[in-house]
């Protein structure tokens, strides 16, 4: 036990430690063996399985050239993995490169809370694209949801930065589309947030489509709440074909009557449930355990990371069964998924030839403030008025702020103004009686430090928004009115890897009506390139060029010239390809 013999020195030391005036502790990064009880998986099937129409996560379930890992066993043995760790004064994080590069554990050292779901066993189930899949931690999904290799080893590298931060990079080349992805998990000195940098690289000469979602698991129980930003009025189903009012339902969703049911509460779901936030204005998503008084916050720029979703096996018989299928005793969980360049599943964006897309995300634990109404990278705020007329105000900060200013106003009147010392281990929480005549919408809470506002929130006056228009399946090609619609339908079917409909009939119907349509010839030609039909693709691109360059016009878009060059190069006709590529460079987008 530590004993202080000098009262003055002891007092100063305590002040330094509690206010964070000492220099931030350095970040540690290291590798260490980690032994985990593991249910063994048999060897993969040596025979490749070609595509036969299987749907997976709303898209084509094509796995070739990967094998199937579908031989599960009930044999449990202690297995030693290579754990890679990051740690600073607030967080300790473990990544397992041998199991998809997932974040396996992440603990808030200020209160011992696992802000990602902590598995104490590796217990695969047949959920993954290749079969074996485990729950827990954070799973990286690119270029499809529950990516093919989430249970397989990936490459990794450790990196130390000049500012004292440390990064674990994980990544691979995805063999089905020949694209590469890498994700850097970074911890910085003095910060209680975990930063991730996501890079997806199309290393092919062809346009590809991309879906990226981080699948974040958190522990769930009767006290757990999923928190979408307060501006969210609607939740939406996969493929955007069905909507539900948020947070209190007013109709049927997935065949279940949710009228007057608060669907943000985990305990209210008796059947597996998936809800995406219909929200394109806010930068955060959270989950909060009111029993543990602790939660998990995600923050990212909504212009790049619009996807916000929760999934749960739920609180009914099916959920309890899956608790035992996926774990021995760690219990139920919720998936708080967040999507970059994607807002739904399936919802793919385009990745042009040789293009790299980059995004940044942050997660941090927060505690003892009763939930959240707004969040930034610096802080989270909660503000509400209880039924008994009490105003409840809470702030959580992601670094030490020894001289912060907490304010609560109502109109022009100041209700609270306090200079406080706040940090990741010391949230701020106050309850005061609501003054007579003060409505909740009159309130505004803010936390400032160093002359800068860190976070603020004023309760929204929401007028009921009408339900958005659901996505409808396309008409048969012959019933589609225009060539433009046929082109766009085909493009969407191709982009989303639709398992039920092929794009070809829509492109072919358009060319039947107008054989020289430049857009459609280019789209169908690109599809033929992906299938290795180079000569057929060449003819389609030449038709597109002929239409665009009629009367000796230099086209506005060099795309057909570029893909004509790819088709010629693929046939070994390099001189002709060089000419086509050079013409494509006249269009800056293809330079």
């Amino acid at each position: 036990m530590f004993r202080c013999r000098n009262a003055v020195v002891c007092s100063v030391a305590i002040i330094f430690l509690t206010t964070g005036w000492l220099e931030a502790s350095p970040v540690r990064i290291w590798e260490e063996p980690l032994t985990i009880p593991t249910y063994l998986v048999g060897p993969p099937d040596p025979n490749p399985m070609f595509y036969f129409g299987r749907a997976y996560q709303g898209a084509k379930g094509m796995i070739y050239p990967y094998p199937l890992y579908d031989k599960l066993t009930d044999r449990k043995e202690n297995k030693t993995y290579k754990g890679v760790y990051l740690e600073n004064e607030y967080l300790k994080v473990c990544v397992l490169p041998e199991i998809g590069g997932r974040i396996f554990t992440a603990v808030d050292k200020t209160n011992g809370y696992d802000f990602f779901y902590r598995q104490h066993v590796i217990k695969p189930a047949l959920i993954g694209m290749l079969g074996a899949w485990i729950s827990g931690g954070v799973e990286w999904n690119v270029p499809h949801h529950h990516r093919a290799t989430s249970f397989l080893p990936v490459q990794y590298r450790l990196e130390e930065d000049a500012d004292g931060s440390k990064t674990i990079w994980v990544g691979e080349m995805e063999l089905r589309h020949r694209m590469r992805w890498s994700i850097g998990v970074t911890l910085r000195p003095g910060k209680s947030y975990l930063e991730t940098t996501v890079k997806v690289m199309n290393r092919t000469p062809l346009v590809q489509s991309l879906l990226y979602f981080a699948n974040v698991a958190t522990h769930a129980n009767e006290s757990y709440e999923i928190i979408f930003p307060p501006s969210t009025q609607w939740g939406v189903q996969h493929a955007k074909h069905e909507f539900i009012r948020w947070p209190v339902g007013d109709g049927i969703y997935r065949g279940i009557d949710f009228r007057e049911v608060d669907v943000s509460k985990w305990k209210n779901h008796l059947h597996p449930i998936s809800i995406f936030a219909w929200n394109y204005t806010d930068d955060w998503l959270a989950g909060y355990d009111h029993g543990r008084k602790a939660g998990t916050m995600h923050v990212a720029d909504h212009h790049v990371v619009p996807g916000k979703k929760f999934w749960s096996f739920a609180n009914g018989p099916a959920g309890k069964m899956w608790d035992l299928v996926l774990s021995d005793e760690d219990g139920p969980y919720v998936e708080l998924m967040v999507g970059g360049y994607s807002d739904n599943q399936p919802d793919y964006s385009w990745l042009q030839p040789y293009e790299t897309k980059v995004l940044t995300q942050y997660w941090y634990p927060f505690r003892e403030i009763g939930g959240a109404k707004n969040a930034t990278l610096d802080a989270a705020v909660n503000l509400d008025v209880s039924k008994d007329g009490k105003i409840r105000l809470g702030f959580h900060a992601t670094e030490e702020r020894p001289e912060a200013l907490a304010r609560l106003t109502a109109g022009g009147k100041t209700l609270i103004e306090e200079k406080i010392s706040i940090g990741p281990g010391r949230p701020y929480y106050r309850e005061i009686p609501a003054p007579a005549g003060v409505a909740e919408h009159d309130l505004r809470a803010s936390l400032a430090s160093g002359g800068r506002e860190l976070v603020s929130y004023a309760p929204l006056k929401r007028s009921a928004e009408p339900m958005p228009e659901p996505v409808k399946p396309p008409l048969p090609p012959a019933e589609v009115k225009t060539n433009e619609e046929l082109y766009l339908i085909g493009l969407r079917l191709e982009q989303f890897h639709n398992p039920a409909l092929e794009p070809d009939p829509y492109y072919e119907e358009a060319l039947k009506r107008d054989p020289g349509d430049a857009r459609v010839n280019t789209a169908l030609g690109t599809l033929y390139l992906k299938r290795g039909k180079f000569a057929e693709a060449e003819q389609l691109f030449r038709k597109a060029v002929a239409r665009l360059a009629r009367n000796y016009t230099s086209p506005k878009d060099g795309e057909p010239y570029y893909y004509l060059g790819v088709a010629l190069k693929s046939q070994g006709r390099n001189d002709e390809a060089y000419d086509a590529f050079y013409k494509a460079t006249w269009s800056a987008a293809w330079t």
Side-chain angles (χ1 to χ4, degrees):
M1 178 182 292
F2 171 77
R3 288 184 173 85
C4 186
R5 300 183 183 276
N6 184 307
V8 174
V9 173
C10 186
S11 298
V12 172
I14 291 172
I15 292 171
F16 279 1
L17 290 171
T18 57
T19 61
W21 293 350
L22 292 176
E23 185 178 348
S25 298
V27 178
R28 296 178 60 217
I29 187 169
W30 74 100
E31 300 178 40
E32 182 179 308
L34 176 62
T35 300
I36 311 170
T38 299
Y39 287 84
L40 303 183
V41 175
D45 191 330
N47 301 303
M49 188 175 80
F50 298 105
Y51 180 64
F52 56 88
R54 172 196 181 210
Y56 182 78
Q57 297 292 322
K60 291 180 178 178
M62 296 186 290
I63 70 168
Y64 182 85
Y66 293 107
L68 275 177
Y69 291 80
D70 59 350
K71 297 180 178 64
L72 305 185
T73 76
D74 58 1
R75 195 165 75 253
K76 182 168 69 170
E77 296 180 2
N78 284 335
K79 185 174 177 180
T80 299
Y81 299 86
K82 182 180 290 184
V84 187
Y85 292 85
L86 288 169
E87 184 175 17
N88 68 3
E89 59 266 55
Y90 302 118
L91 306 181
K92 184 178 180 181
V93 178
C94 175
V95 172
L96 291 185
E98 291 165 279
I99 306 184
R102 71 171 56 229
I103 297 177
F104 187 61
T105 61
V107 63
D108 179 355
K109 292 168 61 177
T110 72
N111 62 355
Y113 179 65
D114 287 297
F115 63 99
F116 299 146
Y117 183 94
R118 167 67 186 269
Q119 276 283 17
H120 289 85
V121 64
I122 302 297
K123 195 172 187 181
L126 295 180
I127 293 177
M129 183 175 283
L130 304 184
W133 181 90
I134 63 169
S135 63
V138 180
E139 172 196 25
W140 314 112
N141 293 300
V142 60
H144 299 282
H145 189 52
H146 290 324
R147 75 172 204 274
T149 58
S150 66
F151 191 68
L152 300 182
V154 297
Q155 297 170 301
Y156 74 99
R157 179 167 61 88
L158 311 186
E159 184 175 273
E160 302 187 18
D161 299 319
D163 66 353
S165 63
K166 308 289 194 300
T167 301
I168 303 169
W169 286 97
V170 296
E172 65 172 355
M173 185 175 75
E174 209 274 352
L175 296 180
R176 294 175 313 148
H177 302 280
R178 312 299 293 180
M179 295 196 293
R180 177 171 283 280
W181 61 267
S182 61
I183 293 172
V185 181
T186 301
L187 203 54
R188 301 189 181 279
K191 312 291 187 183
S192 69
Y193 55 74
L194 190 63
E195 177 180 336
T196 59
T197 301
V198 181
K199 299 180 180 181
V200 186
M201 294 147 274
N202 181 5
R203 52 185 295 284
T204 78
L206 303 173
V207 66
Q208 304 287 353
S209 64
L210 156 73
L211 184 146
Y212 165 75
F213 260 81
N215 183 9
V216 180
T218 63
H219 291 274
N221 54 48
E222 295 279 333
S223 301
Y224 200 80
E225 178 184 9
I226 297 94
I227 305 175
F228 291 161
S231 63
T232 308
Q233 294 198 32
W234 291 97
V236 63
Q237 176 62 280
H238 286 266
K240 301 176 186 172
H241 65 79
E242 186 179 24
F243 287 83
I244 184 172
R245 181 74 68 177
W246 182 275
V248 179
D250 62 358
I252 307 299
Y253 182 79
R254 295 196 68 185
I256 303 166
D257 188 349
F258 281 111
R259 284 172 289 192
E260 303 304 319
V261 175
D262 187 342
V263 293
S264 71
K265 304 295 176 62
W266 177 82
K267 67 181 180 180
N268 291 339
H269 294 284
L270 299 179
H271 306 277
I273 189 74
S274 182
I275 301 177
F276 295 82
W278 190 258
N279 182 300
Y280 300 92
T281 58
D282 292 289
D283 293 337
W284 62 276
L285 160 74
Y288 193 78
D289 186 332
H290 291 272
R292 290 288 306 271
K293 296 183 178 181
T296 304
M297 179 66 69
H298 172 264
V299 175
D301 183 350
H302 69 273
H303 294 99
V304 181
V305 187
K308 307 172 183 71
K309 169 197 173 184
F310 89 89
W311 152 266
S312 174
F313 283 113
N315 194 24
K320 290 176 170 58
M321 176 197 73
W322 279 106
D323 293 346
L324 296 176
V325 170
L326 290 166
S327 71
D328 281 352
E329 54 189 28
D330 289 308
Y333 74 96
V334 163
E335 294 175 354
L336 300 176
M337 300 188 195
V338 280
Y341 298 101
S342 174
D343 68 347
N344 197 273
Q345 297 161 354
D347 175 70
Y348 292 78
S349 55
W350 290 110
L351 205 58
Q352 295 299 329
Y354 306 110
E355 181 188 2
T356 296
K357 276 184 162 58
V358 181
L359 62 91
T360 305
Q361 301 171 276
Y362 304 88
W363 285 274
Y364 59 83
F366 67 109
R367 52 182 284 190
E368 298 176 40
I369 63 172
K373 294 298 193 304
N374 194 20
T376 66
L377 187 58
D378 297 307
V381 57
N382 193 38
L383 172 65
D384 58 38
V385 179
S386 63
K387 292 180 180 179
D388 59 0
K390 287 185 178 179
I391 299 174
R392 297 181 293 204
L393 172 65
F395 293 108
H396 180 97
T398 59
E399 64 179 281
E400 299 296 338
R401 304 280 183 178
E403 295 183 351
L405 181 64
R407 296 191 71 206
L408 177 66
T409 60
K413 184 178 179 181
T414 299
L415 304 182
I416 295 175
E417 187 170 276
E418 290 186 50
K419 286 188 176 181
I420 63 172
S421 176
I422 190 171
R426 298 183 325 285
Y428 172 90
Y429 184 81
R430 284 282 305 275
E431 288 188 7
I432 64 170
V438 171
E440 184 174 4
H441 295 104
D442 298 329
L443 301 174
R444 185 180 190 278
S446 66
L447 180 69
S449 177
R452 181 170 65 90
E453 188 172 84
L454 305 179
V455 70
S456 66
Y457 174 69
L460 303 174
K461 289 185 177 180
R462 301 199 322 179
S463 56
E465 295 178 355
M467 186 181 75
E469 183 72 21
V471 170
K472 298 175 182 177
L475 294 170
E479 297 178 26
V480 178
K481 292 183 179 180
T482 68
N483 259 29
E484 181 180 55
E485 292 173 282
L486 286 165
Y487 164 71
L488 293 173
I489 290 170
L491 211 58
R492 178 183 171 88
L493 295 175
E494 185 181 348
Q495 179 182 13
F496 282 39
H497 304 274
N498 191 293
L501 296 169
E502 291 292 339
D504 306 51
Y506 291 89
Y507 294 148
E508 290 163 357
E509 174 66 24
L511 293 179
K512 186 191 303 181
R513 300 179 190 181
D514 180 3
D517 190 304
R519 296 167 305 174
V520 179
N521 275 300
T522 301
L524 184 57
T526 307
L527 195 60
Y528 282 2
L529 284 180
K530 293 179 179 179
R531 296 172 179 169
K533 300 170 70 173
F534 304 127
E536 294 92 332
E538 177 193 344
Q539 297 310 310
L540 293 170
F541 296 131
R542 292 196 182 280
K543 289 181 181 179
V545 167
R547 170 67 61 86
L548 292 173
R550 182 179 296 170
N551 291 329
Y552 311 107
T553 300
S554 291
K556 183 179 179 182
D557 187 355
E559 183 179 16
Y561 283 108
Y562 168 78
Y563 282 117
L564 174 60
V566 174
L568 293 166
K569 183 175 184 293
S570 299
Q571 298 175 75
R573 294 152 62 187
N574 289 348
D575 290 342
E576 294 175 81
Y578 187 89
D579 292 340
F581 284 141
Y582 225 117
K583 184 65 175 180
T585 69
W586 288 27
S587 173
W590 296 93
T591 299

